[in-house]
Amino acid sequence: MGAMGFFGDVVEFGVLGVDHGVTADGVARVLGEHYADVGKETLRQDLGLVEFYYQRCAGRHFTVQVHRLKRGRARNRRRTVGDAIMARYGRKYRKALTFDALKAELDRRKVPLSRSGFSS
């Protein structure tokens, strides 16, 4: 499916179907278990390309850290992208994601996207 398929799916469905509404255990079942910061008020699951945050007062959210694709060589991609994502979308990922490229993918899918909150 490729990288643009991955980015389109993230907007439309979450990461392999996992989004901000899934518990930390649910994320670990789908994407692997790795906990970074565990504090009194927060829990962060840093999975390389994808991070999930749980904050006691502010709720939960996830981010896709596309800038991390710029670091390292392609052979280190497994550590950055993760086995579960690579198994579904393959090994090749662009090192930059532009709004226009993502918008084109979402237009093809008929999924709306606005520029607010997007930084490239």
Side-chain angles (χ1 to χ4, degrees):
M1 181 177 264
M4 285 314 297
F6 168 71
F7 296 127
D9 280 358
V10 166
V11 173
E12 193 170 2
F13 307 112
V15 180
L16 297 175
V18 177
D19 64 15
H20 69 282
V22 175
T23 66
D25 289 337
V27 170
R29 276 193 298 280
V30 173
L31 297 172
E33 190 167 324
H34 180 78
Y35 297 94
D37 306 322
V38 180
K40 197 173 185 180
E41 298 293 320
T42 63
L43 166 67
R44 179 172 63 103
Q45 289 174 286
D46 183 347
L47 301 153
L49 183 62
V50 180
E51 290 185 353
F52 283 81
Y53 294 87
Y54 305 88
Q55 297 171 312
R56 194 176 304 261
C57 297
R60 23 185 178 194
H61 66 276
F62 74 97
T63 63
V64 177
Q65 305 284 337
V66 178
H67 65 92
R68 291 182 178 176
L69 294 171
K70 292 181 181 181
R71 289 190 260 161
R73 296 189 208 130
R75 71 174 189 227
N76 295 329
R77 195 61 30 100
R78 172 164 269 124
R79 186 174 7 167
T80 302
V81 175
D83 291 333
I85 293 170
M86 284 179 55
R88 172 81 168 98
Y89 298 98
R91 300 184 62 82
K92 295 188 178 193
Y93 292 81
R94 15 170 85 199
K95 291 187 176 190
L97 175 64
T98 64
F99 179 86
D100 292 336
L102 181 60
K103 178 108 173 63
E105 173 67 17
L106 296 174
D107 286 349
R108 185 183 69 73
R109 296 169 177 235
K110 297 181 173 48
V111 174
L113 177 69
S114 69
R115 199 175 270 276
S116 67
F118 185 92
S119 61
S120 56

